[in-house]
Amino acid sequence: MTQRREFLKLAGGAALGASAIAAPAIVRAQAPIKWRLQTYAGPALAEHVIKPSIDAFNKAANGEMEIELYTADQLVPQGELFRAVQKGTIDAAQSDDDSMAAPVDVAIFAAYFPLASRYSLDVPALWNWYGLNDIWKEAYSQVENVTWLGTGAWDPCNIASTKPIKSLNDLKGLRLYTFPTGGRFLSRLGVVPVTLPYEDVQVALQTGELDGVCWSGITEVYTVGWADVTKYYLTNNVSGAWAGSYIANTEKWNAVPDHLKVLFQLAMDSSHYYRQHWYWWGEAHYRTQGGKLELTTIPESEWKAVETEAHKFWDEIAAKSPRSAKVVDILKQYSGVMDKAGPPYRFS
């Protein structure tokens, strides 16, 4: 009898152990987490700025989570993107804070804050090493149901146009498709900012409704087809790099297991890295081998006036809130360090 009881104890323990070991299989059998993520980018551009990283995430998630990617305006208009994430209409977004109308004071510094950067590496340096990550987290913590996940760099902001630009006078009256803050600044130079759905821009250039775009560098101008309907590319840039963020609906983000959160953050980093080398290659390649656009340049002596105007703009924005003033102070500090460091960080 004693031997029989011991056997039953062992058998029961083995059964319990088998049940505990089998439990994860039941978890794995559950339906995967499904997200819908919309990017600011149109289909051709999304192939580079986000799709490779989302494809990699979906593969690495191994059936536990799947992200469906949607391109500009596909589910909601770009200007409603933030609110759509907040309401849970979509689960996440990739965009600059400015054009998706994020209700935070720091949104104005996203996309192309005039002359705040010269190169794409300036953006991750500012966010990771000069405190902008902490400032963005603070700003977004005051907004309900949206979690800011991180910011990375894109391309510079130049003008591709149907008319040649060789002096500041040539900017006056030009109707340009551009970002909200970029448009506010360019209007001080006589430009007429125009807002359109992204997919309508090419036709607007063909019909003459637009004289050009001040939305990207030359890589995007060729990639999305705008080089086919413009003739000139101004080498002076309004900003050296676009700053864009990832955001998620807070409830949906909190429901994601920690290991998948880490995986998504790694996917974001992968996207940031891809853009660094793709744009660096493209900006030089299309200037030298594109073949469709004539390059023009406003003389440096004239462009100094744009730099002066940009710093006036900075000070006006700094006066709007203590947090904005803090960001501007950081931009000035960073600019001073880069100027003092000299080449290759800054060239006089």
Side-chain angles (χ1 to χ4, degrees), residues 329-343:
D329 284 344
I330 288 171
L331 293 177
K332 289 181 177 180
Q333 178 192 353
Y334 180 79
S335 179
V337 169
M338 294 297 107
D339 287 340
K340 189 175 181 179

Side-chain angles (χ1 to χ4, degrees), residues 73-101:
D73 304 313
Q74 197 170 358
L75 295 179
V76 296
Q78 174 64 20
E80 299 174 16
L81 192 52
F82 184 92
R83 294 297 184 191
V85 173
Q86 191 174 43
K87 292 176 183 177
T89 306
I90 57 177
D91 304 301
Q94 178 207 46
S95 174
D96 66 284
D97 319 57
D98 192 26
S99 68
M100 69 175 169

Side-chain angles (χ1 to χ4, degrees), residues 100-112:
M100 69 175 169
V104 289
D105 51 4
V106 295
I108 198 167
F109 299 102
Y112 293 119

Side-chain angles (χ1 to χ4, degrees), residues 218-262:
I218 200 168
T219 309
E220 289 190 16
V221 170
Y222 273 85
T223 300
V224 305
W226 293 340
D228 298 327
V229 290
T230 52
K231 296 180 180 179
Y232 305 95
Y233 182 80
L234 181 65
T235 60
N236 311 76
N237 63 50
V238 178
S239 179
W242 192 79
S245 292
Y246 286 79
I247 60 169
N249 176 277
T250 300
E251 292 178 11
K252 298 295 180 65
W253 178 250
N254 289 342
V256 174
D258 286 346
H259 69 288
L260 291 178
K261 286 179 180 175
V262 171

Side-chain angles (χ1 to χ4, degrees), residues 96-99 104-115 157 178-188 193 195 214-215 238 313-314 317:
D96 66 284
D97 319 57
D98 192 26
S99 68
V104 289
D105 51 4
V106 295
I108 198 167
F109 299 102
Y112 293 119
F113 194 64
L115 291 139
C157 184
T178 189
F179 288 88
T181 298
R184 284 176 57 188
F185 175 69
L186 288 168
S187 65
R188 298 162 78 123
T195 302
C214 188
W215 180 269
V238 178
F313 185 76
W314 289 17
I317 299 304

Side-chain angles (χ1 to χ4, degrees), residues 26-38:
I26 296 171
V27 174
R28 285 196 297 270
Q30 292 178 352
I33 297 168
K34 294 267 190 179
W35 265 20
R36 299 197 302 173
L37 186 156
Q38 183 171 307

Side-chain angles (χ1 to χ4, degrees), residues 45-329:
L45 185 58
E47 287 290 328
H48 290 279
V49 301
I50 190 169
K51 189 174 184 296
S53 63
I54 296 301
D55 288 346
F57 174 89
N58 286 337
K59 185 175 182 179
N62 199 30
E64 292 183 70
M65 183 169 173
E66 182 182 348
I67 298 175
E68 296 175 351
L69 179 63
Y70 296 87
T71 55
D73 304 313
Q74 197 170 358
L75 295 179
V76 296
Q78 174 64 20
E80 299 174 16
L81 192 52
F82 184 92
R83 294 297 184 191
V85 173
Q86 191 174 43
K87 292 176 183 177
T89 306
I90 57 177
D91 304 301
Q94 178 207 46
S95 174
D96 66 284
D97 319 57
D98 192 26
S99 68
M100 69 175 169
V104 289
D105 51 4
V106 295
I108 198 167
F109 299 102
Y112 293 119
F113 194 64
L115 291 139
S117 61
R118 295 292 178 92
Y119 307 112
S120 58
L121 280 174
D122 289 337
V123 170
L126 280 162
W127 262 259
N128 289 291
W129 299 102
Y130 278 75
L132 293 193
N133 272 338
D134 292 335
I135 291 173
W136 256 245
K137 286 176 186 175
E138 176 189 84
Y140 275 90
S141 71
Q142 297 169 2
V143 178
E144 289 186 6
N145 213 27
V146 172
T147 299
W148 171 82
L149 300 176
T151 292
W154 274 252
D155 53 340
C157 184
N158 296 65
I159 298 174
S161 60
T162 57
K163 302 173 182 179
I165 302 170
K166 298 181 179 180
S167 73
L168 291 181
N169 281 334
D170 293 333
L171 293 173
K172 293 178 181 178
L174 283 185
R175 293 161 298 175
L176 300 180
Y177 173 67
T178 189
F179 288 88
T181 298
R184 284 176 57 188
F185 175 69
L186 288 168
S187 65
R188 298 162 78 123
L189 307 176
V191 166
V192 179
V194 179
T195 302
L196 289 172
Y198 184 88
E199 62 185 10
D200 294 342
V201 172
Q202 188 152 339
V203 172
L205 287 165
Q206 288 174 304
T207 61
E209 183 181 351
L210 286 174
D211 298 311
V213 293
C214 188
W215 180 269
S216 68
I218 200 168
T219 309
E220 289 190 16
V221 170
Y222 273 85
T223 300
V224 305
W226 293 340
D228 298 327
V229 290
T230 52
K231 296 180 180 179
Y232 305 95
Y233 182 80
L234 181 65
T235 60
N236 311 76
N237 63 50
V238 178
S239 179
W242 192 79
S245 292
Y246 286 79
I247 60 169
N249 176 277
T250 300
E251 292 178 11
K252 298 295 180 65
W253 178 250
N254 289 342
V256 174
D258 286 346
H259 69 288
L260 291 178
K261 286 179 180 175
V262 171
L263 183 61
F264 186 76
Q265 288 164 333
L266 289 171
M268 289 194 311
D269 286 343
S270 172
S271 177
H272 295 332
Y273 173 67
Y274 180 97
R275 293 192 310 272
Q276 286 283 343
H277 61 75
W278 181 59
Y279 282 123
W280 188 256
W281 162 80
E283 296 306 299
H285 173 77
Y286 289 111
R287 283 193 186 200
T288 58
Q289 300 178 51
K292 294 179 180 179
L293 300 176
E294 178 183 333
L295 304 183
T296 64
T297 301
I298 295 174
E300 191 66 27
S301 57
E302 271 195 78
W303 194 252
K304 289 289 184 185
V306 178
E307 295 178 0
T308 300
E309 195 63 33
H311 288 120
K312 290 180 184 177
F313 185 76
W314 289 17
D315 290 338
E316 291 171 15
I317 299 304
K320 292 186 177 296
S321 74
R323 191 156 48 215
S324 293
K326 191 173 181 180
V327 174
V328 170
D329 284 344

